[in-house]
């Protein structure tokens, strides 16, 4: 009983309290160092857990088998996102790429390593393993842990103070959590996550996912 209470309290602090604290902080908080710190805690807990298969933190073996399906879904989703930008916000189309080429290139190179992978540790590997007993996956509730993972992942994005980032990351969070659960490979899930993140910055929606160290309200 006490273990369950501790897990609930830990979940609320990490996945609810910290995003809320960042969102309403009266002082600037660097986002990435905070993410790295919390991801390091998650990694430390996983490294101490004898019931966790450490190979899942990387496990490249499933990637070649999954890459075709990943790219097929991505191409369909990327086209839909581009059409949405083209029709509803044409002024944003390719804007980041055109106006900040060097910064865009830096994001394409460094974003998967310094943002996507730590998020994967925290919101896929750690969350799905650590809180498995809180969100049991039974024949009738197979999607429950995946939806829970996607929900807290989307909730993180309240720090950007717009609904677009929350909605898109909920949808992406379900896909990324499912891919991880299906393959047991954080690398595979992170590659898929990186594709979508880099595309959002490329197509012109990056402003909804980045405002510097301290997002300002719109």
């Amino acid at each position: 009983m006490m273990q369950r209470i501790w897990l609930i309290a830990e979940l609320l602090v990490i996945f609810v309290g910290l995003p809320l604290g960042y969102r309403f902080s009266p002082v600037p908080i660097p986002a990435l160092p905070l993410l790295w710190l919390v991801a390091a805690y998650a990694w430390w807990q996983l490294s101490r857990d004898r019931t966790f298969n450490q190979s899942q933190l990387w496990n490249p073996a499933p990637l070649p088998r999954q890459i075709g399906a990943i790219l097929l879904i991505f191409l369909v989703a990327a086209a839909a996102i581009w059409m949405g930008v083209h029709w509803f916000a044409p002024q944003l189309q390719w804007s980041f790429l055109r106006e900040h080429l060097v910064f865009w290139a830096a994001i394409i190179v460094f974003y998967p390593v310094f943002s996507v992978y730590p998020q994967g540790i925290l919101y896929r590997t750690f969350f799905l393993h650590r809180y498995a007993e809180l969100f049991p996956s039974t024949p009738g509730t197979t999607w429950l842990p995946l939806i829970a993972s996607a929900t807290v992942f989307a909730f993180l994005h309240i720090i950007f103070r717009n609904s677009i980032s929350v909605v898109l990351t909920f949808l992406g969070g379900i896909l990324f959590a499912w891919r991880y659960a299906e393959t047991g490979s954080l690398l595979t899930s992170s590659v898929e996550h990186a594709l979508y993140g880099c595309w959002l910055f490329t197509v012109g929606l990056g402003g909804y996912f980045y405002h510097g160290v301290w997002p300002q309200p719109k």
Side-chain angles (χ1 to χ4, degrees), residues 13-94:
V13 168
I14 294 175
F15 297 100
V16 179
L18 287 180
L20 284 174
Y22 185 96
R23 167 64 175 79
F24 294 105
S25 173
V27 296
I29 301 174
L32 283 180
L34 180 59
L35 170 63
W36 299 335
L37 181 63
V38 182
Y41 170 79
W43 175 84
W44 175 68
Q45 288 288 6
L46 290 170
S47 69
R48 299 168 62 242
D49 189 339
R50 295 183 178 180
T51 68
F52 174 66
N53 181 359
Q54 302 291 328
S55 69
Q56 294 182 83
L57 285 167
W58 191 247
N59 188 16
L63 181 57
R65 300 192 301 271
Q66 294 285 323
I67 195 65
I70 288 172
L71 290 176
L72 180 61
I73 296 171
F74 169 72
L75 289 174
V76 173
I81 293 169
W82 171 75
M83 286 188 290
V85 175
H86 181 72
W87 288 337
F88 298 109
Q91 74 281 5
L92 295 178
Q93 189 172 235
W94 318 119

Side-chain angles (χ1 to χ4, degrees), residues 138-154:
T138 63
T141 60
T142 305
W143 284 88
L144 182 59
L146 307 184
I147 292 173
S149 169
T151 299
V152 294
F153 182 57

